[in-house]
Amino acid sequence: QVQLVESGGGLVQAGGSLRLSCAASGRTFTDYFMGWFRQAPGKEREFVASISGSGSRRNVADSVKGRFTISRDNAKNTVYLEMNSLKPEDTAIYYCAAQILGLYTFEELTTARRYSYWGQGTQVTVSS
């Protein structure tokens, strides 16, 4: 079992920045792929970014490429999502997710249903 707790959301003006954090506990952190997803009202949960256990591989959705960066600090059992040049369409609840290595390839982990563990989410609101 892995417990995930997100933080860092809030209200920001368009063009601004936020850094989300997700603290993990319960198992060996490096055994898990980590991902960020978001869900806006009335929409499906959408892939944002993922990172391998060591941090050597990263994948970012086209919609946020060049603006968002995913990283992890394995010594702190924490994954981050640095969000720059925020737009109103980035408004959503952002969720952290984890999946143990070995069940799926890294490339397959852009789908929410392939993650076993989820945080409670943190709201990000970007005003125009």
Side-chain angles (χ1 to χ4, degrees):
Q1 288 285 348
V2 175
Q3 293 78 43
L4 304 172
V5 180
E6 302 98 333
S7 61
L11 173 64
V12 63
Q13 289 188 333
S17 299
L18 281 174
R19 188 176 81 157
L20 305 183
S21 300
C22 173
S25 61
R27 296 292 295 269
T28 303
F29 188 55
T30 51
D31 287 345
Y32 291 84
F33 291 117
M34 300 298 296
W36 286 99
F37 288 77
R38 66 186 182 185
Q39 190 165 17
K43 295 188 176 181
E44 292 188 355
R45 195 163 294 192
E46 174 190 23
F47 169 76
V48 176
S50 59
I51 190 166
S52 61
S54 66
S56 61
R57 301 185 69 185
R58 307 178 193 197
N59 190 10
V60 180
D62 288 342
S63 59
V64 303
K65 195 165 291 183
R67 301 188 297 121
F68 290 13
T69 302
I70 187 171
S71 63
R72 64 192 294 163
D73 185 336
N74 287 338
K76 295 182 178 180
N77 287 3
T78 301
V79 62
Y80 303 98
L81 185 68
E82 185 75 36
M83 305 186 295
N84 298 312
S85 302
L86 282 160
K87 305 175 181 180
E89 51 263 42
D90 294 319
T91 295
I93 299 174
Y94 283 71
Y95 296 92
C96 173
Q99 180 55 272
I100 197 165
L101 306 183
L103 290 181
Y104 299 101
T105 66
F106 182 68
E107 290 76 13
E108 291 175 322
L109 289 171
T110 59
T111 304
R113 61 178 174 83
R114 291 178 175 149
Y115 286 83
S116 296
Y117 305 100
W118 291 87
Q120 82 288 350
T122 185
Q123 177 71 48
V124 171
T125 303
V126 184
S127 63
S128 58

